[in-house]
Amino acid sequence: MKLSSLFLTGLIGVSATAPAFAKVTAPQDARVFRLDGGGVTYALGVDDKGYLQPLYWGASLAAGDPLVSTDVVKTGDPVLIKAPGELSGFDPAGSVTLQEYPGQGEGLVNDPGIKTIFADGNRDLVLKYKSHRVQGETLLIELADIRRPLTVTLHYTVDPETGVLARSASVRNGDRRAVRVDQIASAVFTLPVGDDYRLHYLTGRHAAEWTKKDVAITPALTLLESRRGSTGHGNNPYFAIGREGITSEDAGPVWYGALAWSGSFRISVGQDNLGRIRVMGGYNPYDFSWSLKPGETLDTPVFYAGYSNGGMGGASRTFHRFQNAHILPGGERAKPRPVVYNSWEATAFDVTEAGQEALAEKAAKIGVERFVVDDGWFGARNSDKAGLGDWTVNRTKFPNGLKPLIDKVHSLGMDFGLWVEPEMVNVDSDLYRAHPDWVLNYPDRPRTEGRNQLVLNLARTDVRDHLLAVLDKLVSENDIAFLKWDYNRNWTEAGWPAVPVQDQQRVYVEYVRNLYHILSELRRRHPKLEIEGCSGGGGRVDLGILGFSDEVWPSDNTDPADRLMIQDGFTQAYPVSVMMAWVTDSPNWANTRATSLDYRFLSSMQGGLGIGANLDKWQAEDFTTAAKWVAAYKTIRQTVQRGQLYRIDPPTSDNASSATMYVGQDRRQGVMFQMLHSSMWRDNPVAQHPQGLDPAQTYAVRILGGGALPEGVPARASGAYWMQRGLRAPLKGDFVGTAFVFDAVK
């Protein structure tokens, strides 16, 4: 990420100018700091008592605009940033002073950025500005306690294209005795006083992830958190804040962000005692503490956040663009997701060389590009009760190893992938019998199993190194292009008895750090290897794991109607480019709903297309239908996966129809999907209006997959015409759909 322009000035309360992309040299007496990029300004400054205060976050300000706090006093020229005094005996100065990153001290009653206990029992921590510097493209501001040698360094970077901020914090103990850190945030964000803010977030459970919710922001704190050891299905570490009656899908201010962390997290949102809106996020303090040794530093995850004045749609498109460029492996040069076939629904654990080869032949006939063998290929894995942890090929199922199957898959024009779940172990496994101490556990306490498995303690370096070695060996000895990396339970008994008591709760951080280490090193050793992140569906999707994942599995629920809502929720926060969507069997396992193969394809084609159905049960007409849709998808894949997403008519539980639009970055192609859940009494549906096309460009329109245009729809017209007049798809019945493709006429 490049720093677009960062303004640091010695004039208190007044911004200075600097050329964009210029290397910044900050004067040492700077009292106001300003970061600009992508039409966004973020500013902060030091008040007259030495506190670092947030000053502004929103649409870009002019270079000469003053930057002051809401509490100011004129003492001539310039304007000082003034720390407020006591409001009453119930509101001391420490509780009303707006701080960029407050310590738990001096009467603070809001969520602190950091909470500590010193060796002598002191729990008061008051952080004030000490120094700053610019290191490359990052602004570093150091805060220090007023008495003790403990410092917190705040890190700031802004993307010049999108204005997305990257913020994190590092605490260092300069004392001769350990300091216990009980809570630490990556960042605290502040919005001005207001009673009309609404928080938008994503929640759910297994097979029902990505449900959109919004609530009024009030003094009653709203907590988005996971205590599960991983991101979890329940709350995603993402937020968006709009203003009631002002913010819509297409217009109005939105402040948004997501934490890049795949472990237990906590994001709090609420009004402080003066009505200002505060958002804080970082490690979850639940069951967490870190004994910070003398000279030691603890770093937080990065909290990414941005602003858009283009409504919820504009916010998500900007965030998608940022993630595609700066978070995902390969960045903007990453290749689109191939059409994949996965064998799970066809075979479950009954995996054999002959059976997989037969499925591969059928998958190749419909245009599949990647063949993935799911669970059951390794160890004594004939059910979910044994074998997990033993990552060696089952020689009964594959007498000559995986090579004959891989060669067969390659001969059919596909690459080869495998399912793995490296972080877990069955008690009935060679690994557990050899190393029962390698799992999360408390001595002399139960070891609770979930899905008949325990969680390996990746915080241990011996476990980390073992897993890296066996995975490296597996990929090195076989021509494997892809790993579907699964994680199918949450933590219980999160103990680490092998380390001193004061360090055992480090497990929540060290586990995730070592997970990232394994993924990073595996990709370094095998640069062509691609990885899918999965946790019973969407149980571990966040900006941390996305840094190592080419794609993710949003939900185990593959019902095409449910998936439209799941995919709509997912794309509020994360880009279509990583969102896999499978065509599976009907009736669907999740709800027994029966749908046509056409409808299932049209739903799944709105992400990275995959097929997980049992091809052994398909009829000839099913293969013909699938081949048609796979070929059609390949003509729009780049637009869907890497284009701009417009939610024209979002799917909801009480909406009979929905419409979603994808437009290529160069606006040469657009695709509008119209999906009907169920017919209503009215036979004359409303027109759906495309968005994002070039108004001056002429587009030819066609039906994806072939077919005649509806009566009255011209074969070509300008982008302005299509967006103003719209199109009506004469959809009738239940669970039907169509897609209009707009191709620019040369």
Side-chain angles (χ1 to χ4, degrees):
M1 188 195 301
K2 292 185 177 180
L3 192 64
S4 173
S5 57
L6 187 155
F7 301 158
L8 306 175
T9 174
L11 294 176
I12 299 173
V14 181
S15 69
T17 61
F21 306 104
K23 183 175 177 59
V24 178
T25 302
Q28 292 304 306
D29 61 346
R31 305 288 285 184
V32 170
F33 311 91
R34 172 171 166 170
L35 298 92
D36 284 82
V40 176
T41 295
Y42 188 91
L44 58 159
V46 183
D47 68 22
D48 60 337
K49 292 185 178 179
Y51 293 105
L52 187 66
Q53 286 200 24
L55 299 179
Y56 178 82
W57 182 24
S60 183
L61 300 176
D65 286 342
L67 293 168
V68 297
S69 67
T70 55
D71 303 296
V72 298
V73 59
K74 278 188 175 292
T75 57
D77 190 20
V79 176
L80 289 170
I81 303 171
K82 177 70 174 177
E86 175 186 285
L87 294 183
S88 71
F90 303 99
D91 297 294
S95 71
V96 296
T97 299
L98 194 59
Q99 297 184 56
E100 178 78 354
Y101 194 89
Q104 179 61 54
E106 203 179 20
L108 185 76
V109 294
N110 303 308
D111 253 1
I114 181 170
K115 183 177 184 294
T116 60
I117 300 178
F118 291 91
D120 61 0
N122 172 62
R123 301 192 305 279
D124 188 67
L125 180 65
V126 179
L127 297 173
K128 295 193 176 182
Y129 170 83
K130 181 180 179 182
S131 65
H132 71 269
R133 66 186 187 279
V134 175
Q135 183 174 302
E137 297 164 343
T138 300
L139 167 65
L140 302 170
I141 300 178
E142 187 176 30
L143 309 178
D145 181 61
I146 56 175
R147 295 285 187 272
R148 306 295 178 94
L150 185 138
T151 58
V152 175
T153 301
L154 306 180
H155 306 247
Y156 298 81
T157 309
V158 65
D159 175 38
E161 301 299 325
T162 63
V164 172
L165 289 160
R167 288 190 56 186
S168 62
S170 303
V171 56
R172 183 180 185 278
N173 178 17
D175 206 346
R176 293 177 295 174
R177 294 186 290 177
V179 176
R180 196 177 84 197
V181 179
D182 284 343
Q183 180 171 324
I184 183 168
S186 299
V188 180
F189 296 99
T190 305
L191 302 180
V193 173
D195 292 323
D196 61 347
Y197 289 98
R198 294 195 69 85
L199 169 67
H200 301 254
Y201 63 99
L202 300 166
T203 185
R205 54 178 172 78
H206 175 242
E209 303 93 327
W210 310 106
T211 301
K212 296 188 295 184
K213 299 286 188 181
D214 73 277
V215 296
I217 300 178
T218 70
L221 207 62
T222 299
L223 296 181
L224 310 176
E225 64 174 347
S226 169
R227 301 180 176 188
R228 301 171 181 264
S230 65
T231 316
H233 296 80
N235 294 299
N236 193 263
Y238 155 85
F239 76 91
I241 295 173
R243 308 200 77 154
E244 189 168 11
I246 300 174
T247 302
S248 65
E249 174 67 22
D250 301 315
V254 177
W255 295 263
Y256 60 89
L259 189 66
W261 185 242
S262 306
S264 296
F265 72 90
R266 181 176 184 263
I267 296 174
S268 64
V269 184
Q271 285 181 315
D272 68 9
N273 55 345
L274 290 181
R276 301 165 297 202
I277 306 303
R278 299 173 75 254
V279 180
M280 189 199 79
Y283 298 132
N284 196 324
Y286 170 79
D287 197 34
F288 169 85
S289 75
W290 190 285
S291 180
L292 196 64
K293 297 174 175 56
E296 185 183 14
T297 297
L298 173 61
D299 300 318
T300 73
V302 177
F303 203 160
Y304 294 97
Y307 169 83
S308 171
N309 59 8
M312 294 294 293
S316 63
R317 285 188 292 275
T318 301
F319 209 19
H320 294 173
R321 187 154 49 99
F322 170 79
Q323 292 174 54
N324 283 330
H326 299 292
I327 300 295
L328 305 181
E332 294 174 331
R333 297 183 302 277
K335 66 180 183 180
R337 297 295 80 223
V339 178
V340 66
Y341 179 78
N342 183 285
S343 68
W344 173 251
E345 289 199 9
T347 62
F349 298 103
D350 187 18
V351 176
T352 64
E353 182 178 309
Q356 296 296 305
E357 287 186 354
L359 284 170
E361 290 176 352
K362 294 170 183 175
K365 289 180 181 178
I366 60 176
V368 166
E369 297 159 321
R370 171 169 291 161
F371 184 84
V372 180
V373 177
D374 209 276
D375 202 349
W377 60 269
F378 56 92
R381 191 68 166 172
N382 298 311
S383 71
D384 63 8
K385 294 179 173 61
L388 199 58
D390 300 336
W391 300 106
T392 55
V393 179
N394 184 309
R395 291 290 174 160
T396 300
K397 300 178 179 183
F398 297 92
N400 300 301
L402 293 173
K403 188 176 187 305
L405 174 59
I406 294 173
D407 289 345
K408 176 70 172 181
V409 168
H410 288 168
S411 73
L412 294 168
M414 301 179 290
D415 66 26
F416 181 79
L418 274 182
W419 177 95
V420 293
E421 193 174 3
E423 300 160 72
M424 304 292 167
V425 65
N426 287 128
V427 171
D428 186 2
S429 68
D430 293 340
L431 180 64
Y432 186 81
R433 283 184 283 270
H435 300 285
D437 56 324
W438 277 13
V439 299
L440 295 173
N441 75 95
Y442 295 119
D444 301 319
R445 302 298 296 177
R447 298 187 177 191
T448 304
E449 295 183 26
R451 198 176 181 255
N452 304 302
Q453 61 197 51
L454 298 170
V455 182
L456 290 169
N457 183 1
L458 265 64
R460 295 177 58 129
T461 55
D462 50 0
V463 175
R464 178 199 70 188
D465 294 344
H466 167 78
L467 291 180
L468 177 58
V470 296
L471 292 168
D472 180 44
K473 185 174 186 290
L474 177 66
V475 177
S476 297
E477 293 180 352
N478 300 279
D479 192 352
I480 297 172
F482 172 83
L483 291 177
K484 181 178 176 67
W485 187 298
D486 215 339
Y487 177 97
N488 277 312
R489 62 156 293 181
N490 296 127
W491 290 17
T492 53
E493 296 89 42
W496 186 5
V499 298
V501 171
Q502 66 269 22
D503 293 330
Q504 290 183 9
Q505 288 165 289
R506 292 184 178 218
V507 67
Y508 289 98
V509 174
E510 297 290 11
Y511 181 106
V512 179
R513 287 179 175 177
N514 281 345
L515 169 64
Y516 293 163
H517 172 82
I518 294 169
L519 291 166
S520 176
E521 183 62 15
L522 197 60
R523 297 190 69 110
R524 186 192 69 79
R525 297 181 188 182
H526 306 279
K528 295 182 180 179
L529 179 69
E530 296 183 355
I531 295 174
E532 177 180 89
C534 177
S535 176
R540 192 166 63 186
V541 177
D542 54 77
L543 294 186
I545 207 71
L546 284 183
F548 308 98
S549 304
D550 302 274
E551 62 192 49
V552 293
W553 184 230
S555 179
D556 282 349
N557 183 349
T558 55
D559 174 77
D562 286 355
R563 261 306 182 107
L564 292 176
M565 289 187 286
I566 288 169
Q567 291 167 186
D568 178 63
F570 179 95
T571 56
Q572 300 290 321
Y574 303 109
V576 179
S577 58
V578 298
M579 183 182 71
M580 295 304 294
W582 288 3
V583 174
T584 58
D585 288 323
S586 177
N588 191 270
W589 74 268
N591 53 24
T592 71
R593 179 182 287 135
T595 54
S596 71
L597 189 56
D598 291 314
Y599 183 79
R600 281 176 271 156
F601 264 100
L602 283 165
S603 174
S604 297
M605 291 164 71
Q606 299 183 53
L609 178 62
I611 296 98
N614 186 353
L615 302 184
D616 289 336
K617 294 184 178 180
W618 275 17
Q619 304 300 311
E621 57 267 27
D622 296 323
F623 286 97
T624 300
T625 298
K628 177 193 76 170
W629 285 121
V630 170
Y633 177 73
K634 292 176 181 178
T635 70
I636 62 168
R637 170 167 44 191
Q638 184 70 26
T639 297
V640 169
Q641 293 187 18
R642 288 283 176 161
Q644 298 281 331
L645 170 63
Y646 294 86
R647 304 180 193 92
I648 297 171
D649 186 11
T652 62
S653 59
D654 58 355
N655 194 355
S657 63
S658 64
T660 308
M661 182 90 180
Y662 304 82
V663 180
Q665 296 293 343
D666 59 3
R667 297 201 289 180
R668 298 290 298 171
Q669 186 182 72
V671 189
M672 184 171 70
F673 289 87
Q674 293 192 35
M675 308 294 285
L676 179 66
H677 182 278
S678 54
S679 292
M680 305 295 284
W681 62 269
R682 184 172 57 190
D683 290 329
N684 191 26
V686 299
Q688 300 287 6
H689 293 261
Q691 296 182 34
L693 298 175
D694 181 349
Q697 174 67 54
T698 298
Y699 293 91
V701 67
R702 59 184 169 88
I703 299 293
L704 184 66
L709 291 170
E711 185 177 352
V713 175
R716 61 176 60 191
S718 69
Y721 175 92
W722 296 122
M723 291 188 289
Q724 292 298 321
R725 291 292 301 270
L727 298 92
R728 277 201 303 239
L731 300 176
K732 294 183 180 181
D734 296 335
F735 308 116
V736 293
T738 193
F740 295 97
V741 182
F742 303 85
D743 290 308
V745 178
K746 295 181 181 179

